[in-house]
Amino acid sequence: MKLYEQDPPFAVQVELTEGCNFRCTFCGIQGIREKPGGYKFMTMKTAAVLANEIARLEWNARIEFAMHGEPSINPDKVNIIQVFRQALPRNQLMMTSNGSGFVKNTEQQMLDIFGAGLNILALDDYDNANMVPRIRTALKNDGGIYKPPEQYDYPKDGLDYSPHRRWPRNTSVVLYIADISKTKEGSHDSLNNHCGAAAPPNDRGQGKRCAKPFRELSVRWDGGVAICCNDWRGEFGIGNVNRMPLDQIWHHKLFTAARRKLYRGERDFGPCKGCDALSYRVGLLPDHRGHATLAKPTAEDLDLIRKAGNRQTLTQIVLRPWEA
């Protein structure tokens, strides 16, 4: 009998920067940084390895530059976008940013990143940051060097302007995303505890399926891969793209073991224990149509998960008040 093999991910998240210049109260950054800064940047070499692996596998995944830091402050961001565009001419390239890396020389920077092949720039309009209003003002200059792409407010202008939907292939759009800590609608309308790095663990997700390890692959600045983007500390490391083919990581026994647990809503291991992130359309698991089923976790699966919990985390841990 042929064993089930996980479908390719819908999205590959790429961490251009670990570390942020902000310390938002709702963010897991406080679980890995005592203060702003301490940046670690993805290199061109790691970016090329990852982009070429995705191309080799012919994954049609959305590429999202985001994760555990501010991507716009990576000094090689334009060149890295270009690397991904050259390797993946048909994939959607997106960056989620607080805007801080674009407030200076805004027009030139927009010219550079969209010229390199970015499709979507999603700017989180945090009320306390005052970055996005400065970018809006700069992009209203019709007499400048850069003609702005389409610009929309999400969800104010409609739920169709979600940055995570499939946009037309040649899209060039700036999306202004309402403050996640205040908005009440759209795909950015709920916060989660980032596996305990942002807020205390709780039982909101207990017994509920999680779709992330089925639909997303999250690659850190140094090529490391953990179970998902919410595992800020990398407590459940799987592999590294600089040392292992990407398909071997995606189909790794550890990923399979975790999927078998989460398919049954068993959030009782590693960073998943107490995680309150809720997923959409969890009935369509494990494949993208919900036609397949997953076997129950085996004794080998449970042993792999237990051993994974004893390994070193992929980044530093800063204990939060509820962990001290």
Side-chain angles (χ1 to χ4, degrees):
M1 185 176 79
K2 183 180 179 181
L3 296 176
Y4 173 75
E5 186 174 271
Q6 185 59 43
D7 288 344
F10 291 3
V12 176
Q13 298 194 5
V14 182
E15 185 179 83
L16 295 192
T17 307
E18 183 191 278
C20 190
N21 49 341
F22 293 167
R23 282 176 62 82
C24 298
T25 57
F26 55 81
C27 182
I29 193 69
Q30 297 189 67
I32 65 171
R33 289 292 188 281
E34 293 181 345
K35 57 184 179 181
Y39 306 122
K40 297 178 179 178
F41 298 124
M42 178 172 282
T43 64
M44 293 283 291
K45 179 180 178 181
T46 296
V49 169
L50 176 57
N52 288 330
E53 278 290 277
I54 296 170
R56 177 181 68 83
L57 296 171
E58 298 182 343
W59 285 356
N60 188 32
R62 179 184 70 248
I63 310 301
E64 180 176 0
F65 303 109
M67 290 179 61
H68 310 123
E70 176 46 48
S72 69
I73 60 178
N74 185 312
D76 286 326
K77 62 180 180 290
V78 173
N79 291 328
I80 289 175
I81 292 170
Q82 194 167 41
V83 163
F84 275 87
R85 177 52 70 214
Q86 289 175 347
L88 304 167
R90 299 170 64 87
N91 292 61
Q92 180 173 300
L93 303 187
M94 167 184 170
M95 180 181 291
T96 302
S97 167
N98 64 31
S100 57
F102 298 114
V103 294
K104 294 182 179 180
N105 302 317
T106 301
E107 288 184 286
Q108 183 62 57
Q109 291 214 63
M110 294 294 160
L111 189 65
D112 291 342
I113 62 170
F114 285 106
L118 192 72
N119 298 118
I120 299 166
L121 176 61
L123 295 171
D124 287 316
D125 192 3
Y126 300 133
D127 288 350
N128 65 332
N130 198 33
M131 296 289 174
V132 170
R134 295 162 67 182
I135 295 172
R136 286 180 186 269
T137 298
L139 293 184
K140 287 180 180 178
N141 180 12
D142 295 330
I145 63 171
Y146 177 64
K147 181 179 180 181
E150 296 179 81
Q151 301 176 67
Y152 301 101
D153 285 273
Y154 178 78
K156 179 181 177 181
D157 287 337
L159 300 184
D160 287 343
Y161 296 108
S162 168
H164 295 105
R165 76 172 178 86
R166 292 284 179 168
W167 288 74
R169 184 165 298 148
N170 294 322
T171 293
S172 292
V173 61
V174 176
L175 301 176
Y176 302 111
I177 312 300
D179 191 326
I180 190 173
S181 66
K182 298 180 179 180
T183 187
K184 301 299 182 183
E185 59 180 334
S187 60
H188 292 62
D189 65 344
S190 64
L191 297 169
N192 69 76
N193 63 10
H194 292 166
C195 297
N202 60 69
D203 60 2
R204 183 176 76 164
Q206 186 60 35
K208 298 178 181 178
R209 286 178 173 178
C210 178
K212 284 192 175 294
F214 297 89
R215 295 175 179 160
E216 298 178 4
L217 180 70
S218 300
V219 183
R220 305 169 93 92
W221 69 276
D222 61 353
V225 175
I227 187 171
C228 78
C229 62
N230 281 325
D231 183 7
W232 277 66
R233 292 146 165 181
E235 297 177 56
F236 200 88
I238 308 290
N240 189 295
V241 300
N242 287 308
R243 298 188 288 272
M244 186 184 298
L246 195 58
D247 49 336
Q248 288 187 23
I249 294 176
W250 185 241
H251 300 299
H252 196 283
K253 288 183 178 181
L254 261 178
F255 250 142
T256 299
R259 290 178 185 126
R260 286 173 175 169
K261 293 280 283 181
L262 294 173
Y263 182 69
R264 288 165 175 77
E266 297 175 4
R267 302 191 186 200
D268 58 0
F269 66 96
C272 302
K273 188 174 183 179
C275 174
D276 63 0
L278 303 182
S279 300
Y280 297 95
R281 305 180 74 187
V282 293
L284 300 181
L285 294 176
D287 63 319
H288 67 282
R289 294 182 178 178
H291 290 171
T293 58
L294 275 183
K296 293 181 179 180
T298 65
E300 180 186 7
D301 291 332
L302 299 179
D303 188 52
L304 285 169
I305 289 172
R306 179 184 61 80
K307 290 177 179 177
N310 295 327
R311 296 204 304 260
Q312 185 176 356
T313 58
L314 298 185
T315 193
Q316 64 182 330
I317 292 178
V318 175
L319 293 178
R320 303 305 309 276
W322 51 86
E323 297 175 309

